[in-house]
Each structure stands twice: as C-alpha cells, then as structure tokens.
Amino acid sequence: MSDGKYLSGEFFMSGDEACAEGAINAGCRFFAGYPITPATEIAERMSERMPEVGGTYMQMEDELASMAAILGASWGGVKAMTATSGPGFSLMMENIGLGVMLETPCVVVDIQRAGPSTGLPTLTGQGDMMQARWGSHGCYSIIALAPNSPQELYDLTITAFNLSEQYRLPVLIMSEAATGHMYEKIVIRPVSEIEITARRKPVVPPDEYLPFEPGDDLVPSMASAGSGYRLHVTGLTHDERGYPTMTAEAQSKLVRRLIDKVERNKESIIRLEEDGIDDAEVVVCSYGISARVSLIAIEQARQEGIKVGLLRLITVWPFPEDRVREIAGHIGAFVVPEINCGQISLEVERCAGGKAKTVLVPHMGGRVHDPESILEVIRQVAR
Amino acid sequence: MTTTTSTTTGARQHPLDEYLRADRLPHIWCPGCGIGLILNAFLRGLLKSGLDPDKVAVVSGIGCTGRAAGYLKLDSFHTTHGRAIPFATGLRLANPELKVVVFSGDGDLLAIGGNHFIHAARRNIDMTVICVNNFNYGMTGGQFGPTTPPTARTTTSRMGNTEASFNIPYLAEASGAVYIARWTTAQVTHLEKSITEALVKKGFSLVEVVSPCPTYYGRSNRLATGLSLMQYYRDSSITRHGISTRNAAIDFNGQITVGKFVDIYRPYLPDLRGRYNGTSA
C-alpha cells in the first residue's frame, strides 16, 4: 500500500488527513502551522509525515508567523503549506496579502468552523468565503477551491499546489469541519502518476533577470534565494526589477497584472460540477459540504417532478461569472444553500442580474443544512 | 585619497558597490541617520566572515531600517511589519545552504514583532538579527516605542514617555539567544567585528546597534543633529564585555553599556531537528 514515503491504494481516512497526504504527493516539503480545531489533524499528520519525506514541520507561535514562514520557505525553493480555521485565517490575512504582492506560490487550508470570533470551534461553518476573496487589504484576485469530500480534500490539495505554481500566488482551500472531520474511503494513485506543476525557474542568467517581468500569461518566473540571482522583493509597489516605485502608474501596472493573471486565465482555473442544468427550471448552486447535502434535496425534488439542476462550485474564486450568467438566462431561479447568512449567494445574485431569481438558504452554523430546508425552498421557487 | 576603483567608464566605485544596489541610491535615510553606517558595517562584517554572499539572504520588516534590504545586492526580502523573523525562519529551514540575516528596527522587531523575536530566540533558530535601535518609530514621524527610555519625549509622549522600555540584550538572553552584543554607531570597528562573529555563530545571534535619529528622536530631545547624538554615544558608552545583561538597561540620556554580553553554545534548529530525525540539517 505504501513504499514508506508515499501512500498509494485505498484508505479510510479523514478529510484533514487526506489533505495532508495530498500535500505530500504534490511535493509539499514545508508545513508551518499553529494548532486549531478543526484543522489540527492536518498539522499532526504533517508533523509525522514531513520528516519521513525529507521535509520540515514547523510549529509557529501563531498564524501570523505560520503564514510568514511558508512564504519564506517558498522563496527558499520549497513547496509550502499551512492549515487553519477561522480565527487563524483572520490572522493570516496580512501575509496572504504579502504572498499576493510577492507572487509567492503556497497553499492555505481553511477548515472552516462557525464564527464570528471563537464561535463554535468544533462545529462546522462556511462563513469565511468572502474573507477568502477580500480579507487582505487592497485590490487583488485569489484562487479558492471548495472540496466536498475527503477524496476531494486530497485531490484538490494537489490541484491547489499546481495552480499556485502556475499562477504564482497563494491558493486557498476553503473546506469546513464537516468535511475535514469526515472519514471516508479515499483512493490515492501512485505518486508517479500524479501530474505536478513545477516551479517556473528563470531561463536567463542573473544579470538579465527581472524578477517581476511577466511571461505571456502575465506570470513571471521565480528564482529562489541562494541560487545566485541576488533578487530583491518587497511588499511595496514595485517595478519589474522588484524595486519600490511609489507612483500611481506603477501601482496601476502591477495591481492590474496581479488581478489579470487570475481573471484572464479564469477558463483554465475554474472547475465546476454540473448536473441536469440544460432543462432545469431551478438550479441549486452550492459548494463544499452544502453542495453534498443539497443532493438529497435535489433527488427528492426530482421525484416530485421538479426540474432541478446542480451547479457545484469546485472553484469558488475566481467566481464562474460567465457560466452563472449563461444559466440565469434559461432558468427561473437559483437556490443557494450555504452555512452562513449569505456570501456566495451575493455573487450568484449579481451574476444572475435579475434574469433569474436568487434565493439563499442560510444556516448560521454548527450543523449542516437539514435537506428538508433546501427542498422546501426548491418547492417554493418551482411553483 | 579614499579607496576608489576606476571602471571603464571612469566612474568612481565604492568598494562595496558589488554588494549594493547602486542604481537605487541615494537612499531614503535622513542626514545624520545611523542606518547607513550600520549597513556599511554589516557588509564589511559579512565580507570578513568568509560566507558566500550568494548564500546570504537578508530579510527586513517595515520602518526606516526595514528599507535596508532594498539597498543590498544580496537575496533580500522586504516583508510585512514585524514578520521578518518568521519569514526568515521559513527561508532558513527550507534551504539549509542559506545564512539568513534579519536586519530591522527596534519597533519592528520588539513591538509588533516581539512575539516572533522571543520565540525565534527560544527555538535558537540559526539566524542573525541586527536590531537598529533608534529609540522611536522614525518612519511614521517619531512616536514612542518599546525601546523609548522613560521620560523621553516623542510625538506621542510630548510630556515624556511614561512606559518602561525593553532592555534588548536582557530580553534576548532570557529568551535563549546564544550570541548577544551591543554597540552604538560611534564604535563601528567593534560593531563590524561583532557582526562577523554573529554571522558565523550557529544559533540565534543578536547584535543591537544604538543609532541616531536626529530628525525625530533627537529633535524632540534636544539632540537635534547626528553629530550631537554621536557625541553623546562617544561620551556615554562604556564597554563592559560579559556583563550580566540585566545591568545593560539604557536610561534616558544615560550611560550606554556596550560590548559582547553573551557567547555560548546551545543546540539549535535546524541542526537539532536533523539529529532527532536522523537526517542532516
């Protein structure tokens, strides 16, 4: 089942553990974190597994430090990850912004619990979805994925590492306690069969290297510390040399590119699962555990003769605006169940643009939805 | 004549130009500021250390001293306020070939970054911290900070600072640092030597440098020129190697105890980790 370093085969494990194994198979060799329910199991597993694969586990003094440490590790030339939950995610916002500005590949896992503040530490929530998009100050774009099972926590952790290297930015995995603590069968393919995106290293010698000169896809190549490039990077607005440049023009050029490298490559970033949308009158648009719970309601509604489709957001950010607009043109309503008081529903409503109704099925957290509450809304809007 | 080298263009080159981003000069620091002297001492100390400059990374936080990284032609990282040490921790542990130096100010390292400072010292992470202590927040216009001596005036303590200040060497020793020295910018030769020693020391080494900020701290406290501050350092510094760090506090306009206070061995990261894991660090 395993060659001692990499697992392969079928396993019964929690989402948190699957996430750690996904990271290892994606090539992660540095994990920094701070214990927090319900993400602690990721740190525990990484503390055991990192030394086995020649990596480093660092337990930092807080999440500010954890996020800073993974950025440092990434510039040291190593793939790096941290994992946390809401309170820690709030602290990480500062250096997620630095990661965006320095264009630093890394993965941040948020196993969401119910907030605000300490909230319900052991119980599930999806209240950090907008924070994932907008939580650090300033304008930027980000990539966030929402797994709906331990299997997907494994698979999407690998995807997250690949996207982070391809587009050079922190990629967020927005899971939740219900999935992180869920035990299920997961299938791990041999590591040799896994597609891995390598870091794009500079192809020019140090004296010709500009650390922030973008390629055709707007992404620059990345030298690591100690490789003789003697690069300078700064969280200040900078030019292609990486030098601070305090002008509105430099700001416009840099920030537009940071946004465009995500937005213009949306088509290849966005992953959706769709079912029965073509002839649907109602589409349930959801993500993570809430999309999974919705399946029960959808099944029941179909038995009652209602034409219901499913649009599951595997990629939540960048938001699949085009697809939602398209669907809005030929359905009556979107139903959006999420374990918060309305976050992704706002995006759905914005993109539906009045062409289709958007009805939120909120939940304040602590449990997943009762499928009956989703079914009830489907029935109402189908009338 | 000063030491110069002629180039093909005939331009005079500073002997440290190879290690400076000359295309970024002049720097942003005020006339009379001590950071330039310390940067110079750092580079001279680095060259004497025998370390390969391609394998040295400098990490800074935010503030006047935080800008130092941007002038060094080394791998250099200008990070977020207070987070230079954890960023450097990741860098150091990810790449065992690197010598990592944190070059930052007292506010950055000991106020907003204070927690990271004590934990890095506790872990005895292999890195060198150069802490430029100018007794106030210079970049924002001279407010009091964690090292401002009691009674000193700043723009947020017009009547005199009512808070106690950190004695940095004492804090570092209690937290676990294995090398601790303090100098002022009036003792650059000693400073240079301590920087070399700190750079080759394994574990968490700290060099505190008391440095003039005439524009803000000096002006608020009747030491309005770099020269008057340097005069004060020269007149009031007392070298006491090996003194108990407990007795190294700096009072307002008082005596400044300088010297090498701590130089010990303690197992450090990542070497210690390697021994537990049976892998080399």
Side-chain angles (χ1 to χ4, degrees):
Chain A
M1 296 297 266
S2 142
D3 66 359
K5 270 180 135 185
Y6 302 104
L7 301 185
S8 71
E10 293 183 356
F11 298 87
F12 185 65
M13 61 170 71
S14 70
D16 281 358
E17 292 165 324
C19 173
E21 292 302 328
I24 289 162
N25 287 354
C28 175
R29 291 298 176 269
F30 185 89
F31 181 93
Y34 185 83
I36 185 167
T37 307
T40 306
E41 292 85 344
I42 300 176
E44 286 179 337
R45 193 165 184 106
M46 288 303 247
S47 73
E48 220 175 298
R49 294 283 279 134
M50 276 292 104
E52 290 175 8
V53 296
T56 301
Y57 170 82
M58 233 0 245
Q59 193 161 299
M60 299 303 289
E61 51 275 16
D62 55 33
E63 291 87 348
L64 300 161
S66 304
M67 189 63 216
I70 68 165
L71 297 181
S74 186
W75 280 99
V78 169
K79 290 188 183 181
M81 179 171 96
T82 186
T84 189
S85 189
F89 197 52
S90 291
L91 293 187
M92 287 179 184
M93 286 302 138
E94 175 191 60
N95 286 309
I96 286 175
L98 182 66
V100 167
M101 199 62 154
L102 302 187
E103 302 186 59
T104 310
C106 60
V107 173
V108 178
V109 183
D110 180 4
I111 307 293
Q112 296 169 87
R113 61 196 224 186
S117 191
T118 313
L120 298 171
T122 61
L123 301 176
T124 208
Q126 292 179 322
D128 309 347
M129 302 307 293
M130 277 293 178
Q131 186 181 22
R133 176 66 186 85
W134 303 106
S136 200
H137 56 277
C139 293
Y140 62 97
S141 274
I142 200 90
I143 299 175
L145 310 174
N148 71 345
S149 63
Q151 179 70 53
E152 265 198 0
L153 255 167
Y154 170 82
D155 292 331
L156 292 184
T157 301
I158 297 173
T159 306
F161 272 99
N162 287 346
L163 289 169
S164 79
E165 293 294 340
Q166 189 171 352
Y167 297 105
R168 276 192 62 181
L169 81 173
V171 173
L172 315 177
I173 296 177
M174 302 303 295
S175 188
E176 59 279 305
T179 312
H181 280 171
M182 181 190 294
Y183 277 80
E184 264 187 341
K185 184 178 95 171
I186 77 151
V187 180
I188 298 180
R189 286 182 298 139
V191 72
S192 57
E193 293 173 18
I194 298 169
E195 251 180 68
I196 298 296
T197 305
R199 180 154 302 178
R200 33 175 110 191
K201 300 217 163 113
V203 290
V204 295
D207 55 337
E208 290 169 32
Y209 177 60
L210 293 171
F212 295 95
E213 181 183 37
D216 292 341
D217 59 355
L218 304 179
V219 185
S221 61
M222 184 174 174
S224 45
S227 61
Y229 279 79
R230 296 203 194 172
L231 51 89
H232 177 62
V233 299
T234 174
L236 287 165
T237 296
H238 46 268
D239 60 17
E240 293 183 349
R241 294 172 299 175
Y243 290 5
T245 312
M246 303 293 99
T247 64
E249 290 72 25
Q251 169 76 2
S252 171
K253 193 175 173 196
L254 174 64
V255 176
R256 272 180 199 281
R257 183 174 64 74
L258 293 179
I259 293 169
D260 285 349
K261 74 176 177 181
V262 175
E263 301 301 327
R264 287 203 198 153
N265 293 304
K266 258 194 318 200
E267 295 243 322
S268 52
I269 296 170
I270 291 173
R271 288 158 175 76
L272 300 169
E273 182 193 334
E274 301 190 4
D275 176 46
I277 287 181
D278 288 350
D279 64 341
E281 44 189 325
V282 177
V283 166
V284 175
C285 177
S286 192
Y287 54 91
I289 194 67
S290 298
R292 197 161 163 178
V293 171
S294 297
L295 294 176
I296 303 168
I298 290 168
E299 168 98 15
Q300 182 62 36
R302 284 174 180 168
Q303 280 175 19
E304 293 174 16
I306 305 170
K307 288 178 174 170
V308 196
L310 171 72
L311 176 65
R312 180 165 77 89
L313 311 178
I314 299 170
T315 309
V316 175
W317 305 115
F319 190 74
E321 296 173 324
D322 298 342
R323 185 60 184 137
V324 171
R325 285 198 182 106
E326 203 171 42
I327 295 170
H330 64 80
I331 65 165
F334 285 106
V335 172
V336 187
E338 49 183 342
I339 309 173
N340 56 50
C341 48
Q343 297 192 8
I344 296 303
S345 64
L346 298 173
E347 281 295 273
V348 176
E349 189 171 15
R350 176 177 71 82
C351 297
K355 285 188 277 178
K357 269 206 303 187
T358 302
V359 184
L360 165 72
V361 191
H363 192 302
M364 295 308 112
R367 259 203 307 271
V368 299
H369 285 82
D370 179 348
E372 190 63 36
S373 67
I374 302 168
L375 179 60
E376 189 49 44
V377 175
I378 295 172
R379 284 186 191 126
Q380 280 168 18
V381 297
R383 257 179 225 139
Chain B
M1 282 301 290
T2 52
T3 323
T4 54
T5 326
S6 14
T7 64
T8 45
T9 59
R12 282 146 62 97
Q13 245 195 320
H14 189 276
L16 295 174
D17 265 4
E18 195 190 329
Y19 307 99
L20 290 168
R21 296 183 192 276
D23 53 347
R24 285 214 56 215
L25 299 173
H27 56 64
I28 62 156
W29 298 312
C30 303
C33 171
I35 302 169
L37 281 171
I38 302 164
L39 197 67
N40 193 317
F42 164 66
L43 282 175
R44 289 177 191 278
L46 171 63
L47 294 183
K48 284 192 186 141
S49 72
L51 294 167
D52 175 1
D54 278 343
K55 301 292 178 193
V56 175
V58 178
V59 185
S60 289
I62 298 297
C64 294
T65 312
R67 292 301 189 93
Y71 299 117
L72 290 167
K73 195 155 189 193
L74 299 169
D75 286 322
S76 55
F77 298 88
H78 181 219
T79 64
T80 36
H81 200 14
R83 318 298 169 219
I85 286 178
F87 188 100
T89 299
L91 201 55
R92 173 67 184 87
L93 293 174
N95 188 339
E97 288 187 336
L98 286 180
K99 172 70 207 186
V100 176
V101 181
V102 170
F103 196 116
S104 219
D106 54 299
D108 185 72
L109 289 167
L110 295 158
I112 191 165
N115 199 33
H116 311 308
F117 180 89
I118 59 174
H119 286 281
R122 172 181 65 78
R123 294 183 186 111
N124 201 19
I125 290 267
D126 184 35
M127 68 169 68
T128 297
V129 175
I130 297 171
C131 175
V132 176
N133 180 4
N134 61 10
F135 302 123
N136 76 152
Y137 290 103
M139 184 66 93
T140 47
Q143 297 75 36
F144 73 90
T147 57
T148 308
T151 73
R153 291 169 200 269
T154 69
T155 62
T156 49
S157 61
R158 299 272 186 201
M159 306 297 285
N161 179 24
T162 53
E163 294 188 8
S165 60
F166 271 142
N167 168 350
I168 299 174
Y170 186 38
L171 176 70
E173 185 178 15
S175 306
V178 292
Y179 181 97
I180 302 168
R182 176 200 280 150
W183 299 101
T184 75
T185 48
Q187 297 107 16
V188 284
T189 314
H190 292 290
L191 172 61
E192 203 179 294
K193 182 165 177 265
S194 279
I195 286 172
T196 303
E197 286 180 1
L199 287 172
V200 298
K201 182 82 188 174
K202 290 293 183 191
F204 187 89
S205 55
L206 170 77
V207 180
E208 177 191 352
V209 196
V210 175
S211 174
C213 176
T215 305
Y216 295 115
Y217 183 77
R219 192 174 56 186
S220 299
N221 293 289
R222 294 182 190 165
L223 293 160
T225 66
L227 199 64
S228 52
L229 280 155
M230 290 286 264
Q231 189 72 42
Y232 156 53
Y233 296 163
R234 208 187 62 180
D235 296 345
S236 304
S237 294
I238 294 188
T239 307
R240 298 172 76 186
H241 295 300
I243 189 185
S244 165
T245 54
R246 192 189 185 96
N247 300 322
I250 303 173
D251 294 329
F252 180 57
N253 285 351
Q255 180 184 301
I256 304 171
T257 307
V258 295
K260 178 165 80 175
F261 306 134
V262 173
D263 190 354
I264 58 167
Y265 174 80
R266 199 161 71 79
Y268 62 95
L269 285 183
D271 183 57
L272 191 63
R273 190 70 65 86
R275 277 191 256 162
Y276 275 109
N277 294 342
T279 57
S280 65

